[in-house]
Amino acid sequence: MQDLNDIALFAAVVKNNGFSAAARDLNIPKSKLSKHVARLEEQFGVRLLERSTRKLRMTEIGRVFYEHCQGLLEGVAAAEAEIAAVRAEPTGIVRLGCPVGFTPMVADILPAFHRRYPGVRLLITATNRRIDLIEERIDVALRARGELDTDNQLIVRKFGQVRERLAASPTLLARLGEITTDNLAQMPTLSMNEQHPTDIWRLVHASGGSIEIAHRPIVGCSDFLILERAAIEGMGIALLPDHICERAFRTGVLVPVLPEWTSGDVMVHLVFPSRHGLLPATRALIDYLADNLFSALAKCREIDPRPATSFDI
């Protein structure tokens, strides 16, 4: 194994076209440079440089060796930069993409993030459309989907699941009477589908069965917060994610409807363009979201109702 310092000094001599110029550039004695290059040649048993009183040139093997040295030294420099970035105090701007339905949960953890990393500034794009991270210069995006992203240009970090649950206000349920899978489609409903006048809820039973409910919602909107408010006001039955209805269930403004039926698992994950070269501020946000949203989602799943012993399809 060769001394990396010898290799770096040899490369500096070649880059500066001579020992004298390299010595001035590095602010070290010319004799020291000559000693290191000579030791390298002795260890290899080949001549790397041809010296004369007026000029210096590389031998053929010296040229090949220098080309490999460049890649090696660039790799070392990149590794040192990575380590320095990790150790640096996170500062600067981070751009986060976030589904609208997750904004309350993100808002809950932002104050603690700011106290921990006061030098980090966040620019949050709240939207339900698919964000192109590269095109829109987004550093990190939070996503919730039935399957993980398969875009090979993105790094995926999964940290939890959510389910959607049927919910309605107590006053609406008192007015509607008993609700079953047979009459659910005839009830007033609220839907995430804002494009069509009809929608289909695909529900899974705690015991493993599944069913599709085709219904005509009285409100269709892609913003869960609007649907939650409409449900609280008694406008209809909504299918809401854990992290939305959990708060309402705990306060009693909403109650579960057919609690043994839920949507399938929705994967909550972060995506970002690359693991390498992440700025400290971006890395800090990714780690913080992964740790704290995981805990929040786990708490939300505590509202899992008792499974029914029988069900009808």
Side-chain angles (χ1 to χ4, degrees):
M1 181 67 69
Q2 304 305 316
D3 189 326
L4 186 60
N5 192 43
D6 289 347
I7 294 173
L9 293 177
F10 163 75
V13 171
V14 174
K15 182 180 177 181
N16 287 276
N17 297 311
F19 285 90
S20 298
R24 288 193 297 271
D25 184 47
L26 299 175
N27 195 28
I28 61 176
K30 177 181 174 181
S31 59
K32 182 177 181 180
L33 272 178
S34 181
K35 177 181 177 181
H36 280 275
V37 173
R39 183 169 65 184
L40 199 60
E41 290 178 322
E42 182 180 352
Q43 290 172 338
F44 281 125
V46 296
R47 194 77 166 169
L48 298 174
L49 298 174
E50 293 289 358
R51 307 163 179 83
S52 71
T53 55
R54 294 187 177 181
K55 64 179 181 178
L56 175 145
R57 71 175 183 85
M58 286 184 287
T59 63
E60 189 59 34
I61 190 62
R63 188 179 306 280
V64 173
F65 181 63
Y66 176 71
E67 291 175 356
H68 288 288
C69 286
Q70 287 295 89
L72 173 64
L73 295 173
E74 288 172 2
V76 171
E80 291 177 341
E82 290 265 5
I83 293 172
V86 170
R87 296 181 62 185
E89 180 67 22
T91 59
I93 295 174
V94 182
R95 293 173 171 84
L96 170 68
C98 176
V100 175
F102 275 84
T103 51
M105 184 176 287
V106 171
D108 286 343
I109 66 175
L110 280 185
F113 176 80
H114 175 68
R115 289 192 294 270
R116 185 169 178 180
Y117 303 108
V120 177
R121 299 162 58 199
L122 293 179
L123 299 180
I124 301 174
T125 300
T127 178
N128 290 329
R129 65 175 174 80
R130 183 184 178 88
I131 290 177
D132 186 324
L133 276 71
I134 306 300
E135 184 70 23
E136 301 180 51
R137 298 174 57 236
I138 298 294
D139 299 303
V140 187
L142 177 65
R143 289 179 175 168
R145 296 177 180 166
E147 297 180 352
L148 296 176
D149 270 276
T150 56
D151 189 335
N152 57 17
Q153 292 184 312
L154 299 176
I155 305 300
V156 176
R157 183 165 177 180
K158 175 188 171 186
F159 57 86
Q161 300 90 25
V162 296
R163 287 182 180 175
E164 296 173 348
R165 304 174 185 279
L166 294 167
S169 71
T171 54
L172 177 66
L173 292 185
R175 188 171 75 249
L176 295 178
E178 183 181 5
I179 297 175
T180 67
T181 54
D182 292 327
N183 66 12
L184 179 58
Q186 283 73 53
M187 299 295 170
T189 58
L190 311 170
S191 168
M192 270 288 287
N193 192 336
E194 61 185 15
Q195 301 296 327
H196 302 285
T198 59
D199 192 14
I200 296 178
W201 284 336
R202 294 174 175 84
L203 304 176
V204 178
H205 192 270
S207 300
S210 62
I211 192 173
E212 292 188 352
I213 303 294
H215 59 107
R216 297 178 61 86
I218 60 174
V219 174
C221 178
S222 60
D223 187 339
F224 279 123
L225 301 182
I226 292 179
L227 297 182
E228 178 197 32
R229 188 63 195 177
I232 290 173
E233 294 298 328
M235 293 180 64
I237 300 169
L239 187 64
L240 300 173
D242 288 330
H243 60 280
I244 297 292
C245 59
E246 179 263 347
R247 300 168 303 168
F249 285 172
R250 291 186 189 277
T251 58
V253 293
L254 290 177
V255 294
V257 177
L258 299 176
E260 65 273 21
W261 293 95
T262 68
S263 73
D265 281 339
V266 177
M267 306 297 176
V268 182
H269 54 287
L270 293 170
V271 293
F272 44 98
S274 173
R275 294 185 191 278
H276 304 293
L278 280 177
L279 294 176
T282 303
R283 189 183 298 275
L285 179 63
I286 290 171
D287 291 342
Y288 191 85
L289 289 175
D291 292 342
N292 289 274
L293 286 184
F294 175 83
S295 300
L297 290 174
K299 180 181 178 182
C300 290
R301 289 183 75 90
E302 293 175 2
I303 65 171
D304 264 350
R306 60 190 181 283
T309 55
S310 63
F311 60 96
D312 57 343
I313 295 181

